[in-house]
Amino acid sequence: MNFGLTEEQEMIVNTVRSFVENEIYPHEDLVERTGEVPHEIAQDIKQKTIDLGFYACNFPESVGGAGLNHLEFALVERELGRGSMALNHFFGRPQNILMACEGDQIERYLLPAVRGERMDALAMTEPDAGSDVRGMKCNAVRDGGDWVVNGTKHFISGAEHADFVIVFIATGEDQTPKGPKKRITAFLVDRGTPGFTIRDGYQSVSHRGYKNMILEFDNCRLPHAQVLGEVDGGFEVMNTWLYATRITVATMSVGRARRCFDYALNYSAERKQFGQAIGKFQGVSFQLAEL
Ligand SMILES: Cc1cc2nc3c(=O)[nH]c(=O)nc-3n(C[C@H](O)[C@H](O)[C@H](O)COP(=O)(O)OP(=O)(O)OC[C@H]3O[C@@H](n4cnc5c(N)ncnc54)[C@H](O)[C@@H]3O)c2cc1C
């Protein structure tokens, strides 16, 4: 049995790796120094990704994506993992969950996201609801044809660049033998909606230039048309589309580890002590072998 990559998969890997080396690496020092990605650089990376045919490569061809399968997309993420997370953000991979768009949501959110015209972010986590998503306090109450939302989300990646955010919000509660269980609904929330604020989150110890944001909802009124999927069906939407991202987080980490290894290997070959490259000392070479 052959577990190797096909020629086409090798081509995907090589294309993305060259892109990262040529279009991402050269800007990393600047981002590291300033903690910001200049607008022109962001737009340049985005346009080059579109030109390469890789923007929204995780979406099917039927909606204008590159139609990569899970393995191919995991390989893309692995190669992107070598580069700065802040810069890679503009090698756009919108949330797959947008495939749940229906009716005019398709023209307003899904297609512009795939074309790179509108950027998205995804918000589930709250200060007191991380792994325990159902513990969320952010809630929406029905008021005529609208929903009125109150609460806070945090750790939201990319929200500073987002034109809209897919937000998971509690829309009720069921009593179960194990205690109350939140019903959750996904909503599409446009930047600029009254009562919706996006503000700076916490400083990260790494990933310079990457920001996580805090979202606040203060009696924010959303028309019913902003519901993504079914009311109280947020978990189904999450389970259908979000699981794939768990693999990509892992593969991205593999890419990061490989880049670190490259650095360590090069340094141990260049750095000389006691008359030879430090990589020649077993104390260092064994560690490299283990890596
Ligand atoms: C770089 C980064 C980007 C992120 N981007 C986003 C984003 O865009 N949108 C978004 O919504 N969220 C985002 N998050 C938040 C992320 O989803 C949460 O950090 C994650 O769900 C964990 O929640 P928590 O940090 O509150 O940790 P906690 O849930 O408090 O967990 C703390 C520790 O306890 C462990 N633990 C928790 N429950 C159990 C259990 N039942 N059994 C055993 N161990 C347990 C956990 O494994 C962990 O080690 C991001 C986080 C990071 C680090």
Side-chain angles (χ1 to χ4, degrees):
M1 193 176 276
N2 179 12
F3 290 107
L5 299 182
T6 64
E7 230 171 80
E8 197 181 340
Q9 288 163 347
E10 290 284 4
M11 202 175 75
I12 291 170
V13 168
N14 292 336
T15 305
V16 181
R17 185 174 298 181
S18 309
F19 188 93
V20 171
E21 286 173 0
N22 297 323
E23 308 298 341
I24 304 289
Y25 287 2
H27 303 301
E28 287 183 338
D29 280 348
L30 177 73
V31 173
E32 198 59 32
R33 235 181 17 255
T34 60
E36 298 287 339
V37 178
H39 180 73
E40 320 74 69
I41 293 179
Q43 290 312 307
D44 187 52
I45 293 171
K46 194 192 236 188
Q47 191 54 52
K48 285 179 172 152
T49 309
I50 294 171
D51 296 344
L52 196 67
F54 271 81
Y55 201 92
C57 60
N58 52 329
F59 276 74
E61 284 170 304
S62 57
V63 297
L68 299 193
N69 63 30
H70 288 311
L71 172 61
E72 290 158 352
F73 184 52
L75 293 170
V76 169
E77 289 286 350
R78 190 188 71 190
E79 294 314 312
L80 289 176
R82 288 176 174 271
S84 147
M85 182 159 159
L87 290 159
N88 284 346
H89 182 70
F90 299 97
F91 190 107
R93 289 95 73 211
Q95 303 290 338
N96 269 99
I97 221 164
L98 287 170
M99 287 301 289
C101 282
E102 283 178 0
D104 72 349
Q105 291 175 347
I106 294 172
E107 286 295 337
R108 289 172 61 210
Y109 298 99
L110 169 64
L111 298 181
V114 170
R115 291 193 292 255
E117 294 161 5
R118 299 190 79 192
M119 293 197 86
D120 62 316
L122 183 124
M124 274 186 305
T125 310
E126 297 183 7
D128 292 322
S131 309
D132 177 18
V133 179
R134 283 210 201 255
M136 69 171 61
K137 296 199 178 88
C138 184
N139 68 87
V141 178
R142 195 92 199 233
D143 182 29
D146 293 344
W147 292 87
V148 179
V149 184
N150 282 287
T152 305
K153 297 283 173 188
H154 80 167
F155 284 161
I156 310 308
S157 305
E160 76 275 31
H161 306 295
D163 299 291
F164 67 93
V165 186
I166 303 151
V167 191
F168 289 87
I169 302 173
T171 38
E173 203 169 77
D174 289 323
Q175 296 308 320
T176 74
K178 287 186 175 170
K181 194 168 141 191
K182 294 270 167 55
R183 292 199 299 264
I184 293 170
T185 303
F187 288 87
L188 295 155
V189 187
D190 290 305
R191 174 185 287 277
T193 304
F196 172 46
T197 332
I198 302 176
R199 65 178 173 87
D200 277 353
Y202 324 105
Q203 296 278 337
S204 307
V205 286
S206 60
H207 296 314
R208 294 273 289 161
Y210 153 82
K211 292 183 184 161
N212 62 81
M213 308 299 279
I214 295 174
L215 314 186
E216 284 167 339
F217 297 88
D218 180 12
N219 285 322
C220 172
R221 199 166 265 280
L222 299 176
H224 185 70
Q226 298 309 107
V227 170
L228 179 65
E230 300 290 322
V231 172
D232 298 336
F235 251 82
E236 284 70 43
V237 178
M238 253 184 239
N239 288 341
T240 309
W241 300 108
L242 226 54
Y243 273 140
T245 64
R246 302 298 175 216
I247 297 289
T248 54
V249 168
T251 54
M252 182 174 260
S253 304
V254 172
R256 296 222 165 92
R258 287 182 171 187
R259 176 105 185 259
C260 293
F261 176 69
D262 289 347
Y263 268 120
L265 192 64
N266 287 338
Y267 185 70
S268 64
E270 281 164 16
R271 175 72 177 163
K272 291 196 173 57
Q273 287 291 280
F274 304 100
Q276 62 177 24
I278 57 170
K280 298 258 188 222
F281 297 114
Q282 285 192 336
V284 175
S285 62
F286 282 2
Q287 289 183 50
L288 290 171
E290 274 175 27
L291 278 174

